[in-house]
Amino acid sequence: MIRKGQMPILIFSLIWLIVASTFFIGAKNYEFLLYILVVVGIGLAVLVSNKKMKYPNTFLWGLSIWGLLHMLGGGYRINGDVLYNLMIFPFNSHVFKFDQLVHIFGFGVTTLFMWHILQSSLKKVHWIPISIVVIMAGIGAGAINEIVEFIAVVLVPNTNVGGYVNTSLDMISNLIGACIAMVYIKFKHGKIK
Amino acid sequence: MINKLPIIITNILIIVIAFIGYSGMGNIEFLLYTGAILIVFLILVLTDKKMNYPKTILWGLTFAGMLHMLGGVKIGNDVLYNTMIIPITENIIRYDQILHFVAFLFFTLMFYYMLKPKGEWWIVALVLIFAGLGAGAFNEIIEYIATIIAPRNGVGGYVNTSLDLIADFLGACAAMIYVYFKKAE
């Protein structure tokens, strides 16, 4: 289940999961306690499939850091507002927020995952069609996230997600993250033809 | 390429008629979409020699393109896009959602034939369903940009976008179910 060099990733992930769970239980933040359960589910799925899928450590570090950023985004407050809403570079009233940064990072990591699981199925395919499909798969995973958020909005109206502009900017951020990941993949795996 | 001439002619006709029609109506939104269809068409024509897309997929995409271009036609007080086809709820099932289902079903099939992957079924299906849905999300990004350029257009809105994505997802799933049964034959 745990491969070479992956124990520090597991310990790091367990530490922030325990800290975040304790914090959200104390704050009675049920939305983020639900996200903790989702993260635990993903973590277990990764652990169980790790031997077969041979996930690279870069991807696993990315996945863990993404989870941590998500918990910080919802749990850490600055000037009375959650970190997710913090404006990092004020280009306009909606851009560029911590939320968008997390989307770029997270769906960049997801794109690495898509490439990793797909590459063994490919034979002699030019890198342009591969890049198109892998980038689309990365932003497709982001779209699944938006669908889940939409269902959450329908079921629990007071969530901090949803809204047309927010959703559209999230999807643009996912696209940027997926493109950055594909550039990384191309440089790291120069043999893709 | 010559055996795909009817597909090329059909697409050119759709694009030219849509361009003339929407230019006359001064419909900037649908002129933008006509441009998007033209770009997709050109990409497919330029890459067909290398990729050799099956004719079924090209006809499917042509059909989806035609449905898309018809979407801006006025039916009564509203455009065809907003027409309720099977009224399950206030927003479902509209022409728009059926178009999304059909279009991203064929986009997913196109992605499948672009890669012709040979690996485990569930892995290939997972990635390609996400890729098909991703193409749908890319379309929503273009629509979002259209709402900024032409603010009074008929697209956009949170519920509409979310339902479009769900329709894209269902279309992508249907495509991979088709591939599964096609491979089993």
Side-chain angles (χ1 to χ4, degrees), chain A residues 92-104:
Chain A
N92 65 36
S93 59
H94 296 290
V95 180
F96 179 76
K97 292 186 179 182
F98 183 81
D99 181 20
Q100 290 142 14
L101 178 71
V102 176
H103 271 268
I104 291 173

Side-chain angles (χ1 to χ4, degrees), chain B residues 8-49:
Chain B
I8 293 174
I9 292 169
T10 308
N11 274 280
I12 291 171
L13 281 173
I14 291 168
I15 291 166
V16 169
I17 292 169
F19 179 77
I20 293 168
Y22 290 123
S23 295
M25 292 158 69
N27 190 332
I28 304 290
E29 179 196 351
F30 271 81
L31 282 174
L32 280 173
Y33 298 148
T34 309
I37 297 272
L38 176 65
I39 290 168
V40 173
F41 169 68
L42 289 175
I43 290 171
L44 290 175
V45 168
L46 292 173
T47 56
D48 186 58
K49 191 176 175 187

Side-chain angles (χ1 to χ4, degrees), chain A residues 45-82:
Chain A
V46 167
L47 269 177
V48 169
S49 59
N50 191 28
K51 190 177 175 185
K52 183 179 177 186
M53 304 304 291
K54 296 184 175 64
Y55 298 116
N57 292 357
T58 322
F59 161 68
L60 293 177
W61 272 118
L63 197 62
S64 181
I65 291 168
W66 182 20
L68 173 62
L69 289 175
H70 182 53
M71 295 306 151
L72 285 171
Y76 192 71
R77 297 184 89 88
I78 294 178
N79 299 329
D81 203 355
V82 290

Side-chain angles (χ1 to χ4, degrees), chain A residues 6-24:
Chain A
Q6 294 179 345
M7 190 51 84
I9 309 172
L10 180 67
I11 293 169
F12 173 75
S13 306
L14 286 175
I15 289 172
W16 72 250
L17 264 173
I18 292 167
V19 173
S21 303
T22 310
F23 176 81
F24 290 127

Side-chain angles (χ1 to χ4, degrees), chain B residues 73-88:
Chain B
V73 173
K74 281 243 176 191
I75 303 284
N77 293 327
D78 210 346
V79 289
L80 186 58
Y81 249 121
N82 296 330
T83 304
M84 184 66 78
I85 306 292
I86 307 168
I88 296 175

